[in-house]
Amino acid sequence: MRTFGAVHQALREHAGISREEHADLVRFSKHTVASVELGRRMPDQAFVERAEELLGNTGALRKALPTLARQPGLAAWFRRWARLEQVAITLYTYECRLIPGLLQTETYAQALAADHLPPLADAQIEERWAARAERQRLLRERPNTAFGFTVEEHLFLRRTGGPEVTRELIEHVLEIAQLRNVEVQIMPLVQESHSGLQGPLQLLETPENQWFAYLEGQESGQPISDRKVVSVLQRRYARMRSQALTMQDSVSLLQRMRGDL
């Protein structure tokens, strides 16, 4: 990503365009442009296409994008979604299998990796955590992006990795829940009405106000752009938010679970 960023910066400066001017013309924030040029952020397709048109249509940026997509530590089926995450202005997640990657701790991720089949090498585990930790920077580096997480209570009660790992995980989630751009809600273990029984889902809104969904299963993931399907999933997620505990009650529950460990 650093090489891509350096090429982008060189083309921009050759064209005599400042970062502020470039940000306005490609309709991304100055912060996003800077992050791309410094190699801290993956550019998405819209960014590349607009930058190409602005910087002379050399084709250099378009040709470089597919190589960037081969990100180590990310499953092949997840990479497109990961690129959308980089520019999202809204990102909602419902999980019933495991704590979402954006909320995980390193020790929790290691506990998950220990049970992976086929077994992972140490280098693969480190690579996966590095990619996950890089994604987690979004929570703090994109304060204008709204992040919402609805997670099942049983994910904490399972105590994956043991009590100490779970205690650290709960403390981390409580810390993240204090961020103004993050909402964490717990779906209680006993819930007679639940609109998310079809499985986990993610919803994302781009700067152009286009919504996408993402559904993941074992060894597979499916980004969805069909507006009718996305609309159905939005309604399900909205209903789940009303069925889950409030943010305040969710924090109280997490604090009690931490005290019970």
Side-chain angles (χ1 to χ4, degrees):
M1 288 197 292
R2 290 181 180 177
T3 301
F4 180 94
V7 171
H8 180 277
Q9 182 173 351
L11 290 172
R12 175 181 59 75
E13 291 176 348
H14 180 73
I17 301 173
S18 70
R19 276 183 180 167
E20 292 84 352
E21 293 170 329
H22 189 279
D24 289 339
L25 292 168
V26 298
R27 303 195 297 282
F28 282 87
S29 70
K30 176 186 173 183
H31 176 79
T32 297
V33 174
S35 293
V36 168
E37 292 188 343
L38 293 172
R40 295 197 306 245
R41 178 159 296 166
M42 170 75 69
D44 75 341
Q45 189 70 46
F47 182 98
V48 171
E49 290 299 326
R50 293 170 194 170
E52 277 281 11
E53 294 175 7
L54 181 62
L55 302 177
N57 274 314
T58 65
L61 300 178
R62 288 193 187 97
K63 291 178 181 177
L65 185 61
T67 63
L68 288 179
R70 296 193 287 271
Q71 292 173 274
L74 292 179
W77 61 81
F78 186 73
R79 290 168 187 162
R80 180 186 171 193
W81 185 258
R83 293 199 299 274
L84 288 172
E85 280 185 339
Q86 297 285 336
V87 297
I89 62 173
T90 306
L91 182 61
Y92 294 140
T93 301
Y94 164 65
E95 255 301 351
C96 56
R97 307 163 304 166
L98 72 170
I99 300 299
L102 289 175
L103 296 180
Q104 291 179 11
T105 60
E106 184 173 6
T107 54
Y108 179 85
Q110 289 172 342
L112 294 176
D115 290 324
H116 189 277
L117 291 174
L120 298 171
D122 289 345
Q124 290 175 299
I125 295 174
E126 293 173 4
E127 199 172 66
R128 289 186 175 207
W129 171 249
R132 202 158 299 172
E134 178 66 23
R135 288 176 55 225
Q136 290 182 0
R137 292 171 55 180
L138 296 173
L139 297 172
R140 300 183 186 276
E141 291 186 355
R142 295 188 63 84
N144 299 121
T145 295
F147 294 90
F149 299 94
T150 302
V151 297
E152 295 286 342
E153 179 183 355
H154 71 77
L155 299 181
F156 299 95
L157 295 174
R158 182 176 293 144
R159 300 188 180 184
T160 300
E164 290 302 319
V165 170
T166 303
R167 182 182 294 106
E168 179 189 21
L169 175 67
I170 292 175
E171 289 174 351
H172 176 69
V173 173
L174 286 170
E175 178 185 347
I176 294 299
Q178 299 305 309
L179 298 175
R180 288 194 299 272
N181 61 325
V182 176
E183 297 180 355
V184 176
Q185 290 183 260
I186 304 299
M187 185 68 77
L189 187 62
V190 178
Q191 177 57 271
E192 295 183 2
S193 179
H194 194 326
S195 297
L197 297 179
Q198 290 86 351
L201 70 91
Q202 294 189 60
L203 295 164
L204 178 152
E205 182 185 11
T206 70
E208 295 76 30
N209 304 115
Q210 183 177 1
W211 283 87
F212 293 89
Y214 177 75
L215 306 178
E216 188 173 86
Q218 295 200 24
E219 302 300 314
S220 65
Q222 181 185 9
I224 299 173
S225 58
D226 185 294
R227 288 184 294 179
K228 291 183 179 179
V229 177
V230 172
S231 176
V232 170
L233 297 176
Q234 284 177 310
R235 281 178 278 164
R236 288 180 187 170
Y237 188 82
R239 179 67 63 84
M240 277 190 286
R241 291 178 73 182
S242 70
Q243 295 165 339
L245 299 177
T246 65
M247 290 185 289
Q248 183 177 357
D249 288 343
S250 296
V251 167
S252 296
L253 176 60
L254 289 172
Q255 290 171 335
R256 290 197 300 274
M257 284 195 287
R258 179 182 59 184
D260 290 339
L261 291 171

